Amino acid sequence: MAAKLYFRYGTVGSAKTLNLLAVAHNYQQQGKKVCLIKPKIDTRFGENCIRSRAGLQADAHLIIDNNAVINLEDLTGVSCILVDEVQFMSKGIIDQFRNITKELLIPVICYGLRTDFRSQLFEGSKRLMELADAIEEVKSTCYFCNKKSVFNLKHVNGKATVEGPAIQLGAEELYFPVCYKCYMNQIKDSVSEKKLSEVSK
């Protein structure tokens, strides 16, 4: 029987990476080998570093780009594969994770955002929604109220925006976890202010 492919998603600041590091610690405490994987594009804390907002960190064992072919021999003896920032990975990489669970019987647990700040699925997340055996939400609350956050809101110069590239690591923009109502209100307010400023020019 094949091992499972998991997608554990949440908004920004929902402790996804902290969860990943806790799972890794639990395996290691039992003397089991884990493989930590991160996308090559994510160099915010260093090329090899997987780091949570709480300050806990670990070194990645595999750093892969979207055209990589994962060497199955590198996974010999591994009890679990843990993937950070999976939203940045390609459809092809997700397909390889699916195959690993079938061929090597190793569970693969992927953590990441479901959608970008425009509420659109990332490529890696979309493929996981299609292929994963288990899809689990890492829950958090809205930055502006006490409802559950479901979207990631991007601010530039203190105003909400839906403009700019979907991937912009290391930028000065701020991202907030928000509920649907707060997301829509912020976007509407920002668009209205923009239109007013254009009219006054």
Side-chain angles (χ1 to χ4, degrees):
M1 185 175 180
K4 288 185 177 181
L5 175 64
Y6 298 83
F7 181 30
R8 294 178 177 169
Y9 72 90
T11 53
V12 294
S14 58
K16 297 181 296 298
T17 301
L18 186 63
N19 188 307
L20 178 153
L21 294 173
V23 172
H25 175 74
N26 289 341
Y27 271 93
Q28 291 162 346
Q29 283 289 95
Q30 296 174 5
K32 297 173 182 176
K33 183 179 179 182
V34 296
C35 178
L36 303 182
I37 299 179
K38 67 175 286 188
K40 188 174 183 179
I41 190 176
D42 183 14
T43 57
R44 291 170 298 169
F45 307 113
E47 184 178 353
N48 298 313
C49 185
I50 293 176
R51 181 178 177 182
S52 73
R53 291 174 183 241
L56 297 180
Q57 64 183 55
D59 288 336
H61 302 109
L62 287 179
I63 302 163
I64 56 179
D65 61 32
N66 283 335
N67 297 313
V69 176
I70 300 172
N71 185 353
L72 300 187
E73 292 183 359
D74 291 338
L75 303 175
T76 301
V78 169
S79 295
C80 182
I81 295 170
L82 298 166
V83 185
D84 195 38
E85 303 292 356
V86 73
Q87 72 272 9
F88 297 139
M89 296 183 178
S90 67
K91 173 181 178 291
I93 296 297
I94 306 304
D95 289 344
Q96 290 183 64
F97 291 154
R98 173 77 280 182
N99 184 61
I100 286 168
T101 65
K102 177 177 178 290
E103 298 298 327
L104 301 184
L105 304 181
I106 301 173
V108 180
I109 308 176
C110 302
Y111 293 82
L113 302 173
R114 181 181 57 171
T115 57
D116 63 18
F117 63 91
R118 289 187 291 263
S119 73
Q120 297 176 355
L121 288 167
F122 284 98
E123 179 180 348
S125 304
K126 180 179 184 296
R127 191 57 175 158
L128 278 166
M129 297 295 283
E130 296 167 343
L131 291 183
D133 297 293
I135 299 172
E136 304 164 357
E137 184 178 13
V138 182
K139 296 179 182 179
S140 183
T141 57
C142 176
Y143 182 86
F144 300 100
C145 72
N146 290 321
K147 294 178 182 177
K148 184 169 72 74
S149 62
V150 291
F151 293 122
N152 304 295
L153 181 69
K154 179 181 178 180
H155 272 201
V156 175
N157 298 322
K159 301 296 180 184
T161 183
V162 290
E163 298 178 356
I167 300 175
Q168 199 167 359
L169 293 169
E172 295 302 317
E173 290 84 359
L174 295 177
Y175 293 84
F176 300 95
V178 292
C179 66
Y180 176 74
K181 183 178 179 180
C182 289
Y183 180 86
M184 294 306 298
N185 286 343
Q186 290 253 334
I187 295 298
K188 287 178 181 177
D189 289 346
S190 178
V191 171
S192 297
E193 288 187 14
K194 184 177 181 181
K195 287 183 178 179
L196 286 173
S197 64
E198 289 175 351
V199 170
S200 63
K201 288 181 179 179

